[in-house]
Amino acid sequence: MSGFANTDASADLVRDLVDANHILYQQGIVDAFGHVSARHDHDASRFLLARNVAPARVCARDIVQYAVATGEPLASDAPRGYLERTIHSEIYKARPDVMAVVHNHSPAVLPFCVARGARLKPVCHMAGFLGGADAPDGPALFEIRDHAGAASDLLIRSGELGAALARTLGAARVVLMRGHGCTVVAPSLRVAVFRAVYTEVNAKLLLGSLPLGEVVALTAEEADATRITNEGQVTRPWELWRDQARSEHSPAT
Amino acid sequence: MSGFANTDASADLVRDLVDANHILYQQGIVDAFGHVSARHDHDASRFLLARNVAPARVCARDIVQYAVATGEPLASDAPRGYLERTIHSEIYKARPDVMAVVHNHSPAVLPFCVARGARLKPVCHMAGFLGGADAPDGPALFEIRDHAGAASDLLIRSGELGAALARTLGAARVVLMRGHGCTVVAPSLRVAVFRAVYTEVNAKLLLGSLPLGEVVALTAEEADATRITNEGQVTRPWELWRDQARSEHSPAT
Amino acid sequence: MSGFANTDASADLVRDLVDANHILYQQGIVDAFGHVSARHDHDASRFLLARNVAPARVCARDIVQYAVATGEPLASDAPRGYLERTIHSEIYKARPDVMAVVHNHSPAVLPFCVARGARLKPVCHMAGFLGGADAPDGPALFEIRDHAGAASDLLIRSGELGAALARTLGAARVVLMRGHGCTVVAPSLRVAVFRAVYTEVNAKLLLGSLPLGEVVALTAEEADATRITNEGQVTRPWELWRDQARSEHSPAT
Amino acid sequence: MSGFANTDASADLVRDLVDANHILYQQGIVDAFGHVSARHDHDASRFLLARNVAPARVCARDIVQYAVATGEPLASDAPRGYLERTIHSEIYKARPDVMAVVHNHSPAVLPFCVARGARLKPVCHMAGFLGGADAPDGPALFEIRDHAGAASDLLIRSGELGAALARTLGAARVVLMRGHGCTVVAPSLRVAVFRAVYTEVNAKLLLGSLPLGEVVALTAEEADATRITNEGQVTRPWELWRDQARSEHSPAT
């Protein structure tokens, strides 16, 4: 059985991964670029990620199986993959708790990847996952110049860079990437999509709030408490977004 | 007769409540979260609120009857409700004049719930209801830390917290909730929707105006006069929004 | 022949006026409120304006004939009109060159009606009509408190207030109204729609530019030259907007 | 064979040029104004550009052949052209490497054409083409007053003004035009569209970042490296945007 267009992961997971691609596009979190993966649900040493195609256009047959160990496809005849797939593989390697990874250039998040000193702290209850005991000041910023010098193309092109990014992520749920975007992780695919959307919502809110005066961030305790509460409600937004994405999606490949 | 999918409230009110859910979504006032209720039109001790589902997906059979006294459903077999239904019950209890309540995370309003000292004063004639003699400086801010400490999940989870919120609301029409959103009340469901939409409009306007210089707010007299005038015109936007929401809504449950 | 749903103005003008209502809605210049009129093309003492209905829902049968002299409908059985129709009548009276009037609450324009001292100068060539020899510093601001005191509902409810607004407009093409919106005039209906749209575009541009540093406004000569050039091209946007508005419009009354 | 609605350029190029018009509209880079051209693929002395019509409404039969030498149509019976076609002809003359040109009034770019001293530096990896060794500080600003005085209509109406604009562009890929918009060039039509879209994305990002603190721009080396990488991926966004534009486009002329 070929690794391309076929996987022994559950059909539910593949279907959710296709939906996740379309939801992230429809919610404005990815454009023609960005990608979302899920760890294989029967084999933790593998993960599922689309071939090199825009998320809005991903179909089930575009899903490819990769090895966590190498970031390379399992099948020798796999189609061309995304350049930055070691973002996914190295995070799955470093964080056994992570079951899904989203990488994007989320538009309101990018200013926090560009302006020195700006911190993407959680300021509303829907985005508690940005802070808490694991990330008391909000997501850390990965400066690729510290690892690849000042002449790189900013992409995570190697296992070494993926591992460095995973170290900056640490135990947190989001890591910002200077001049580039962010990467979001979660214990499930649906929660990863939820976190990617509300990272953008919180960023937009901060962009609106900072000019008004001193901003009140959630305490670490509030952040952890809201995260636990909201992520128990993840079915509500997922079903809404999925239905919308399906009604607007006309697959074209 | 079961309280679920059945009520002896007028069919017009139930239909308006379903429309209100869809309008608030379509106008960007709620996303997958937020809720709107109406006091029962034949029994002031009850109110109608959807079960725990995204507003865009609410159908008539999702409407549940609750007791004002307790915030609990009348029927023992009622489906799961929203976590924060005491927002509604405690306001109906404290304010006999209130016939409808909207709770939301309205995006342009949230900066005024996050930046210390920013006031959401009415600056345009469509939003006079934000001020007036009952709220000369605009809506008050409810700081949940004053009631639940600094480790809560920010939700109004109890009658006590609902009652505290109602006290902060006082005689006003809107109350802001720190790090969370706002709650809007009105003497009718259609006016509640109108006020929720124009609270967002006024907030967006203030976000654009504050960087330009000193802002001229409505006087209390202007605020009261514009409120009375505009709310006599509420059928005009209601019919427009309702037609749009109906034409874009394909119920899916 | 009744003045309601009938007029001896040209069929082309009536059709353009219906399209203008829908275009202004579809371009985000009016919401459920705002209105657009045209001077009767065979009788300069009359003008055409919809009955009291949201612009998006205007049909040909909603068009009513009004007298310039009084702002009152010609037919005794005319349906209810907009409260502020003297905006239109008094400007037609004061400005024989004006053939069309748009009144709106254009969202990016409103900050310039709220923040003291901010001037809506033309900064891009599409919006030269905002300045020029007739309005070297951009549109003037009408402060209704100077005419109706500090307890009004901000509406132009009388011939006196309409006349005061027309005096503030003077020979210019746009007048701002504090806490309320703006009014745009032109020598033709299509140019009035063009100017209303690009007043919003220029305002949005200024809101983005002012935080960046000193802004370079058009000189009065540039403003007049660009106005003459662009308004010779008005068919291009009109046909685009009209086609879009027609394809999205499903009349409902 | 007439130059109107006929050309001996490849059918693929004509089809891409029609798609490019619709993509630029659908992505919000042009409105009723703006234009995109391609150098003829069999004869470098000619280029293809639509007749004077809104980009969203361009059909294959609207494509006209122009002479690079003069900016005039090859056919004596050609339909009316855009006023500013010497933007295209003079750039093709000065820059043999350029195969496509986009001129627009891109909304987030315009503040950088209006606020004195603001620089549109590349700050994200998708927009490296704005900088690099050829444009270390980002695009230069063309001030038409230096060439046409302070009473012009800001349009590039002559070969002389087109040549002056081409000199300000120099070896760069984007040139800003004071109070007007920008012009983007590329070695292929698809890359020109890509650059026009991401010029807007980078501008929006800078508008969000500048109020937050000191901004980290790409180094010239990063800018060149990211440009080379991303433009090797141009098929991915092109196919997505093209499919969307085609599904939303109903030709009307």
Side-chain angles (χ1 to χ4, degrees), chain D residues 12 15 25 34 46 56 64 70 80 82 101 113 115 132 136-137 159 172-173 178 204 209 219 233 240:
Chain D
D12 281 2
R15 193 205 52 212
Y25 177 70
R46 289 186 267 163
V64 177
T70 61
R80 187 161 79 109
Y82 295 119
V101 176
C113 307
D137 295 316
R173 288 162 287 270
R178 197 268 310 157
K204 227 180 263 171
S209 304
T219 64
Q233 306 259 338
L240 175 67

Side-chain angles (χ1 to χ4, degrees), chain A residues 204-239:
Chain A
K204 228 180 261 172
L205 169 51
L206 259 180
L207 293 179
S209 304
L210 288 166
L212 300 190
E214 191 203 346
V215 158
V216 182
L218 301 194
T219 63
E221 293 79 10
E222 286 174 337
D224 283 326
T226 56
R227 173 173 54 81
I228 292 165
T229 292
N230 290 319
E231 294 177 1
Q233 307 259 338
V234 76
T235 301
R236 201 198 308 174
W238 175 269
E239 290 184 349

Side-chain angles (χ1 to χ4, degrees), chain B residues 55-70:
Chain B
R57 303 175 85 235
V58 168
C59 299
R61 69 174 175 280
D62 296 318
I63 303 299
V64 177
Q65 297 196 99
Y66 286 92
V68 167
T70 61

